[in-house]
Amino acid sequence: MQQCRHSIYAAEVHLHEWILTRANVVMDPESADWFYLPFYSSCLLASRFVRPGPAWPDNDVDIGATFKAITAVFNDITQNQAWRRADGRDHVIALTSDWASCIAPHVPLKNVIVLATSGDSSPSRPDWYIRRAAAHLGSSSDFAERVKLGCFQVHKDVVIPPLVPKTTGVVSSVLSVRRRDIQVYFRGTAAAPPQAHNFTEDYSGGVRQYILRTFGHLEGWFLSNVSDPTSYHDELRRSRLCICPPGWEEWSVRFFEAVQAGCIPVLISDHLLLPFEFLVDYSRFTIRVPRDQLSQLPQILSRFELQELMDMQTALLQARHVFAYKSPLTTAPAHAQRRDRGGRNKGRGKHRSKTGAVEMILDEVA
């Protein structure tokens, strides 16, 4: 189904297919260094556990059903000798939905390395977030309790990129910053869909609403709350700075769409970890703005001179390949770096020139 292979959550499928093509995959558990668990939680959520409703993904998906399915999987896996040898520390699973590891029970996952697109390291969840989780319960009340805990564990989990389909004309011909006519860009919804109207004020933590309300009149800024897929990618390609605010979650695919289009991302978040932060120096091509400085956004962005933006775009174009999922049949085997158990990789900023997302993931896991 399209949701399983072509959605932004489909990294779970591509990663599994890549692993299956490697010569160093073994069938003997005693010979294995790592155990990959090929469970498609996002695919199940989008295809099998959908309740009748006007739209997806709000209030018409049965997240509880996915939670129960993953629980059943781990009830079986934890009985295996391979699991018991390290209490799951050498097991890896991709959980690529917005809910990350919260879509699975906490206890069996406490040691498992989770590959998640959502790197939200927030110490606690706001009340509205927990209430929204309750609205998605479906057939398992355990999910509402699980989401009260952190969905990303910094000491063991790995942030991975979402799957961003390449758009014709965006990747192949990137305009220089100098030739772009939009100074600051954002196009996107600022309200919850009708079936989740109770959370409209909470959506994006109010960030999108504030930006559209406060800065829409500024010269050179292109801000809109009207979705327009026909012009979106062209506007990205014409923009120097692309605002990447949160949506329902702290992370957003907008960051990766901006990178693909050669637009310098402006990330508005306090607790978001990006993919491969211990390997990639994001300060070279990303502008981070804490939420408590949102009112100063125009002043912060105006400090960047044209030459500095051009240098940042050059660094961005040099790094963006690490977010791409290449075909497993055209990718050479990775030579993983070792990351110390403190979580820091000594190779920060030293990613190989042709390395793709899967190789970077293996570098992080190793």
Side-chain angles (χ1 to χ4, degrees):
M1 295 185 67
Q2 181 167 335
Q3 299 101 315
C4 298
R5 180 167 292 280
H6 301 297
S7 82
I8 61 174
Y9 307 109
E12 61 187 8
V13 177
H14 286 259
L15 181 59
H16 183 207
E17 291 179 343
W18 192 96
I19 291 174
L20 290 176
T21 66
R22 300 302 95 181
N24 56 352
V25 174
V26 298
M27 300 305 295
D28 178 13
E30 295 298 323
S31 303
D33 296 316
W34 301 93
F35 296 88
Y36 183 74
L37 307 176
F39 189 87
Y40 296 175
S41 61
S42 295
C43 177
L44 284 174
L45 183 63
S47 59
R48 290 195 59 190
F49 301 135
V50 180
R51 295 180 291 167
W56 180 83
D58 279 287
N59 293 345
D60 61 347
V61 290
D62 189 346
I63 291 182
T66 305
F67 188 96
K68 291 201 298 185
I70 298 177
T71 300
V73 168
F74 276 99
N75 285 344
D76 179 67
I77 291 175
T78 53
Q79 303 305 310
N80 294 336
Q81 183 176 352
W83 175 278
R84 291 196 293 268
R85 79 176 190 181
D87 198 21
R89 290 179 177 84
D90 51 6
H91 283 57
V92 183
I93 188 171
L95 297 175
T96 58
S97 76
D98 284 346
W99 304 100
S101 64
C102 280
I103 207 167
H106 174 69
V107 173
L109 278 181
K110 65 181 180 180
N111 295 325
V112 175
I113 298 174
V114 175
L115 310 180
T117 50
S118 177
D120 184 358
S121 62
S122 301
S124 61
R125 299 288 186 179
D127 290 341
W128 71 264
Y129 190 96
I130 297 173
R131 286 188 284 108
R132 179 171 173 263
H136 286 71
L137 283 182
S139 58
S140 175
S141 59
D142 292 336
F143 171 68
E145 292 301 313
R146 172 66 183 89
V147 83
K148 294 177 182 179
L149 304 174
C151 295
F152 185 84
Q153 306 299 316
V154 177
H155 68 282
K156 68 176 182 66
D157 295 342
V158 175
V159 189
I160 66 174
L163 181 74
V164 181
K166 293 183 178 179
T167 304
T168 302
V170 171
V171 175
S172 58
S173 59
V174 174
L175 287 176
S176 165
V177 164
R178 187 188 297 275
R179 297 175 56 195
R180 298 184 177 220
D181 61 310
I182 300 174
Q183 181 68 25
V184 181
Y185 176 73
F186 172 75
R187 179 188 286 280
T189 183
Q195 68 273 25
H197 69 276
N198 291 338
F199 302 101
T200 288
E201 293 184 2
D202 303 308
Y203 180 72
S204 186
V207 171
R208 296 189 184 194
Q209 298 90 318
Y210 181 86
I211 291 172
L212 289 162
R213 183 174 64 248
T214 309
F215 307 129
H217 66 285
L218 296 179
E219 184 178 356
W221 289 48
F222 186 110
L223 308 179
S224 175
N225 66 347
V226 179
S227 297
D228 187 355
T230 61
S231 63
Y232 176 65
H233 290 96
D234 179 65
E235 291 164 355
L236 282 175
R237 187 170 173 268
R238 293 165 45 204
S239 301
R240 294 181 175 182
L241 301 170
C242 289
I243 300 177
C244 306
W248 286 122
E249 302 294 324
E250 283 291 303
W251 87 281
S252 169
V253 72
R254 295 176 185 280
F255 177 92
F256 304 94
E257 291 173 329
V259 168
Q260 179 176 289
C263 182
I264 298 164
V266 180
L267 187 65
I268 302 174
S269 176
D270 296 330
H271 302 287
L272 183 65
L273 296 176
L274 294 170
F276 323 128
E277 287 227 23
F278 305 128
L279 296 169
V280 176
D281 186 358
Y282 282 95
S283 66
R284 297 182 62 212
F285 59 87
T286 302
I287 300 172
R288 293 183 186 249
V289 179
R291 290 199 187 190
D292 61 4
Q293 296 182 25
L294 188 57
S295 63
Q296 305 170 45
L297 185 61
Q299 293 87 341
I300 292 172
L301 299 184
S302 66
R303 297 170 190 161
F304 292 86
E305 301 290 342
L306 178 59
Q307 184 57 54
E308 188 172 3
L309 294 180
M310 293 175 65
D311 292 342
M312 293 180 74
Q313 186 189 50
T314 298
L316 181 153
L317 296 178
Q318 291 173 346
R320 66 176 179 170
H321 58 86
V322 304
F323 307 121
Y325 288 91
K326 304 173 185 178
S327 168
L329 299 180
T330 60
T331 307
H335 300 283
Q337 300 180 36
R338 280 289 173 185
R339 181 178 64 172
D340 63 51
R341 289 296 88 191
R344 296 282 178 181
N345 191 297
K346 298 178 181 179
R348 181 185 176 110
K350 302 297 184 180
H351 49 82
R352 296 181 299 281
S353 60
K354 297 300 182 182
T355 299
V358 175
E359 294 95 334
M360 294 294 287
I361 291 170
L362 295 181
D363 280 356
E364 281 278 280
V365 170

